[in-house]
Amino acid sequence: GDIVLLAKPVTLTEGDRVTLTTDVPVATDGTSKPEKLLYAVSLPPVHGQIEHINYPGVPISSYSQLDVVAQKVSHVHDNSHGASKEALR
């Protein structure tokens, strides 16, 4: 089926952590199986990383819609002083 992705930009300031919710990345593929809908981080944050909350400090390159629904994925700013803000798209 068709995949529909809606994403609101998330802006973090130095040292922030934002948990991704279904308000940020919302995707549907016509099925009712969110665990099978995967997001790939094709352009990682420059000043931080995407992390699973069970493994803080470890960057991830993919996560599922089920992870988002369970609020298990965060965008973490690395606290670098040269970049006071960063946006996740």
Side-chain angles (χ1 to χ4, degrees):
D2 293 333
I3 295 176
V4 177
L5 175 62
L6 303 171
K8 295 179 186 176
V10 174
T11 302
L12 290 89
T13 55
E14 202 174 292
D16 277 353
R17 169 185 297 270
V18 173
T19 300
L20 303 185
T21 65
T22 54
D23 290 341
V24 179
V26 178
T28 59
D29 66 352
T31 72
S32 60
K33 297 182 180 188
E35 68 277 7
K36 293 191 176 186
L37 183 58
L38 298 177
Y39 294 90
V41 181
S42 58
L43 186 60
V46 175
H47 299 286
Q49 59 195 23
I50 307 297
E51 299 177 351
H52 191 282
I53 63 165
N54 291 348
Y55 305 100
V58 179
I60 58 175
S61 59
S62 66
Y63 53 93
S64 72
Q65 180 70 20
L66 189 59
D67 291 329
V68 175
V69 170
Q71 297 185 358
K72 299 277 187 178
V73 180
S74 294
H75 178 189
V76 182
H77 193 286
D78 66 5
N79 207 18
S80 54
H81 298 291
S84 60
K85 287 189 177 183
E86 181 168 50
L88 172 66
R89 293 185 195 109

